[in-house]
C-alpha cells in the first residue's frame, strides 16, 4: 500500500508542477504581448494583433531555449578551473 501512496504523491506533484508551469508561462506570455505592443506603439507603429502574438511567441521561445543552455546555474557540476573566473553561461 505504501508504494501506491508514493506513486500517487508523485503523480500529484507532477500535475501540480505542470499546472504551475502552465500558469507562469501564460503570465510571461501575456506580459510579453503587452511589452511588444507598447514598444511598437512607442516606436510609432500600429502592428496587427497577429504580428504582436508572433513576436511575443518568438521572444518567449528564445527565452525558454536560452534558459536550457545554462545548466551550470543549478550548481550541480564541479569543475577544476583555478583561474577564479566563474563563467555561468558556457558549458
Amino acid at each position: 500500500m505504501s508504494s501506491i501512496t508514493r506513486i500517487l504523491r508523485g503523480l500529484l506533484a507532477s500535475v501540480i508542477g505542470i499546472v504551475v508551469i502552465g500558469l507562469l508561462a501564460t503570465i510571461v506570455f501575456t506580459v510579453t504581448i503587452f511589452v511588444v505592443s507598447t514598444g511598437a506603439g512607442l516606436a510609432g507603429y500600429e502592428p496587427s494583433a497577429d504580428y504582436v502574438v508572433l513576436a511575443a511567441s518568438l521572444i518567449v521561445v528564445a527565452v525558454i531555449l536560452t534558459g536550457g543552455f545554462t545548466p551550470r546555474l543549478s550548481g550541480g557540476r564541479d569543475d577544476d578551473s583555478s583561474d577564479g573566473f566563474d563563467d555561468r553561461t558556457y558549458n
Side-chain angles (χ1 to χ4, degrees):
M1 190 68 172
S2 109
S3 64
I4 293 175
T5 306
R6 281 186 290 160
I7 291 173
L8 289 177
R9 282 185 186 167
L11 182 63
L12 181 64
S14 295
V15 169
I16 290 173
I18 290 170
V19 169
V20 168
I21 289 174
L23 287 173
L24 288 175
T26 303
I27 291 169
V28 167
F29 186 66
T30 304
V31 169
T32 307
I33 286 177
F34 173 74
V35 167
V36 167
S37 63
T38 303
L42 290 174
Y45 296 111
E46 291 296 327
S48 69
D50 297 336
Y51 289 113
V52 171
V53 171
L54 176 66
S57 62
L58 290 174
I59 291 170
V60 169
V61 166
V63 166
I64 290 171
L65 289 178
T66 305
F69 291 132
T70 56
R72 290 183 62 192
L73 291 176
S74 63
R77 248 171 89 182
D78 187 25
D79 290 336
D80 292 334
S81 76
S82 60
D83 60 357
F85 180 70
D86 188 19
D87 184 10
R88 294 183 178 255
T89 59
Y90 182 73
N91 254 343

